[in-house]
Amino acid sequence: PAARVAIQTTPVSQDDTAKQAAPASDEPTLPPEAQDADSGKGQEVVDFAKTLLGSPYVYGASGPNSFDCSGFVYYVFRHFDVTLNRGATGQLDNGTAVERSQLRPGDLVFFFDGKVTTPVSHVGIYIGEDSFIHASTNGYEVVVSSMAEGTVYDRNYVCARRIFE
């Protein structure tokens, strides 16, 4: 897995504008492309998706007031003029494959619970820090869940797709 690097900033007052802030630690800094990985369209997708937290889960719904898992993903991306396939299995055909260790905010993440005959049973949107946002049948609403090691979503993880390069 990719190493996490903490980036710390020090506020500078108007009186200190001529001074450079000392580095916060000896930790290496991320290259510019990695620093920008959380920005752009993927992060915009995550920010918009978070405005829908708490919306009810309704099987077959694709917004704006209720969602099932793939309907939630479909609705969020449609807000950005991107039309995805409607079902979770169909959404496997959207975007490009991405390794779990390379996930960025806005990537689609897919899961399989073993209870259906399709290749996947659930989809959500990766938000960073080993978490994703999705329309869940646990609580029947849009929530953020962990994919960290040992969780049900870690065990049921199948693959990911990147929509915005």
Side-chain angles (χ1 to χ4, degrees):
R4 290 192 181 150
V5 178
I7 298 174
Q8 298 179 346
T9 59
T10 304
V12 179
S13 69
Q14 288 181 332
D15 297 335
D16 294 333
T17 53
K19 297 179 187 175
Q20 282 286 340
S25 70
D26 290 348
E27 300 242 4
T29 57
L30 293 173
E33 62 274 11
Q35 290 179 16
D36 293 338
D38 289 356
S39 62
K41 282 291 188 190
Q43 188 60 50
E44 289 179 40
V45 165
V46 168
D47 293 342
F48 177 70
K50 286 180 176 179
T51 68
L52 302 168
L53 281 166
S55 297
Y57 176 97
V58 174
Y59 181 78
S62 56
N65 300 314
S66 59
F67 308 93
D68 67 9
C69 67
S70 60
F72 173 71
V73 170
Y74 177 88
Y75 180 82
V76 168
F77 278 86
R78 192 78 181 120
H79 179 79
F80 295 92
D81 297 321
V82 175
T83 302
L84 301 178
N85 295 334
R86 176 54 184 84
T89 298
Q91 289 171 354
L92 285 169
D93 293 332
N94 296 124
T96 57
V98 59
E99 293 296 322
R100 185 169 179 172
S101 63
Q102 301 299 312
L103 285 171
R104 294 193 315 220
D107 290 343
L108 306 186
V109 287
F110 296 88
F111 306 90
F112 181 72
D113 64 8
K115 298 177 184 175
V116 294
T117 59
T118 55
V120 296
S121 56
H122 195 61
V123 62
I125 301 169
Y126 188 73
I127 65 171
E129 299 297 319
D130 245 355
S131 296
F132 73 111
I133 188 168
H134 59 122
S136 175
T137 55
N138 297 332
Y140 288 90
E141 63 183 347
V142 174
V143 297
V144 170
S145 296
S146 174
M147 299 168 35
E149 188 175 338
T151 65
V152 66
Y153 292 109
D154 172 51
R155 290 188 301 275
N156 291 347
Y157 178 86
V158 174
C159 65
R161 306 290 292 178
R162 179 158 299 145
I163 305 302
F164 294 116
E165 291 298 328

